[in-house]
Amino acid sequence: MGAERDRDECQLAEAALQGDADAQDALFRSALPRLTAFVRHRRNALLLERCGEEDLVQTVCREAVRDLGAFEYRGPKSFEHWLLARASNKLRNKSRAERAQKRDPARVEDAGSSQMRITETPSRAMAQHESQARLAEALDQLPEHYRQIIELIRFEGRSYAEAAAVMGRREGALRMLFTRAIGQLGALLAAQTR
């Protein structure tokens, strides 16, 4: 079953790279839930105020479609990992730009820029906004290697073996590191609610 799914993904990627619009659509659709979750959890507090989640996801997808020729299929989930790496870069660059604009005294706030889905109540949207802001703040307080391992495993959905290869560590050591990282993240989140 897994080998068949991997073969299907490989064929889909090959067809997408050859310009097959249906294959491209299927490839992006398969990665969209993970991409959306990644963007939701990686936005910092400033981006939460300025950019809608859907806008960020659409921007990443639009740019990825444009640059699809740069993608190389390297095995299962490689498209998803490529897309998440692009999203990570986009969020980092967007955060820098937003911080720079925030410091600009000539900047005028666009009252129509905030996005809220009609199905959300104001209180639910505010609670979600506050929860995401707390998570982003706690992640920003973690040491870089803790933040990286949480991003790789929780947000990008990589296995311990894949994350160990990316970080240049043994898998057993990486599991221990992940446990410590999650523990510290939990402590930071708990301290915020006191």
Side-chain angles (χ1 to χ4, degrees):
M1 175 90 172
E4 184 177 323
R5 184 171 48 240
D6 294 347
R7 189 174 56 251
D8 289 347
E9 183 180 328
C10 179
Q11 291 171 345
L12 191 62
E14 287 175 4
L17 289 170
Q18 296 298 320
D20 182 329
D22 291 336
Q24 290 174 359
D25 186 49
L27 200 58
F28 278 90
R29 261 198 330 264
S30 69
L32 194 58
R34 178 70 73 184
L35 174 63
T36 302
F38 179 80
V39 167
R40 179 179 303 130
H41 293 290
R42 281 296 296 145
R43 286 186 302 172
N44 63 28
L46 186 58
L47 280 180
L48 281 170
E49 294 173 14
R50 308 275 188 239
C51 305
E53 174 184 309
E54 293 88 5
D55 291 339
L56 288 167
V57 169
Q58 286 177 5
T59 299
V60 170
C61 288
R62 184 176 55 251
E63 291 175 3
V65 167
R66 180 194 67 208
D67 300 337
L68 194 57
F71 167 66
E72 292 179 34
Y73 183 79
R74 296 183 178 169
K77 302 278 185 190
S78 61
F79 177 75
E80 190 174 279
H81 293 162
W82 178 76
L83 198 57
L84 294 179
R86 294 180 65 87
S88 181
N89 290 335
K90 171 57 82 179
L91 290 169
R92 187 179 311 109
N93 293 339
K94 191 91 168 136
S95 291
R96 286 183 188 137
E98 289 293 335
R99 280 194 294 271
Q101 283 185 328
K102 189 174 183 181
R103 288 190 296 264
D104 181 359
R107 183 169 191 240
V108 178
E109 188 68 35
D110 177 11
S113 67
S114 62
Q115 302 271 329
M116 185 186 305
R117 282 180 271 163
I118 294 171
T119 58
E120 290 184 341
T121 64
S123 60
R124 185 177 299 155
M126 181 60 93
Q128 182 179 9
H129 172 82
E130 289 172 0
S131 174
Q132 290 172 348
R134 282 195 306 271
L135 177 61
E137 182 182 327
L139 282 167
D140 287 343
Q141 292 176 28
L142 289 175
E144 177 61 30
H145 63 289
Y146 279 7
R147 188 170 42 250
Q148 183 182 17
I149 193 170
I150 290 172
E151 288 175 4
L152 289 169
I153 292 175
R154 287 296 166 101
F155 300 145
E156 293 184 22
R158 296 194 187 206
S159 68
Y160 287 109
E162 290 171 328
V166 169
M167 294 184 71
R169 296 175 181 257
R170 290 187 346 255
E171 187 175 340
L174 184 115
R175 286 176 182 271
M176 290 173 55
L177 180 68
F178 179 68
T179 299
R180 289 194 301 270
I182 290 294
Q184 188 168 343
L185 179 62
L188 288 168
L189 288 169
Q192 289 177 354
T193 60
R194 290 186 193 136

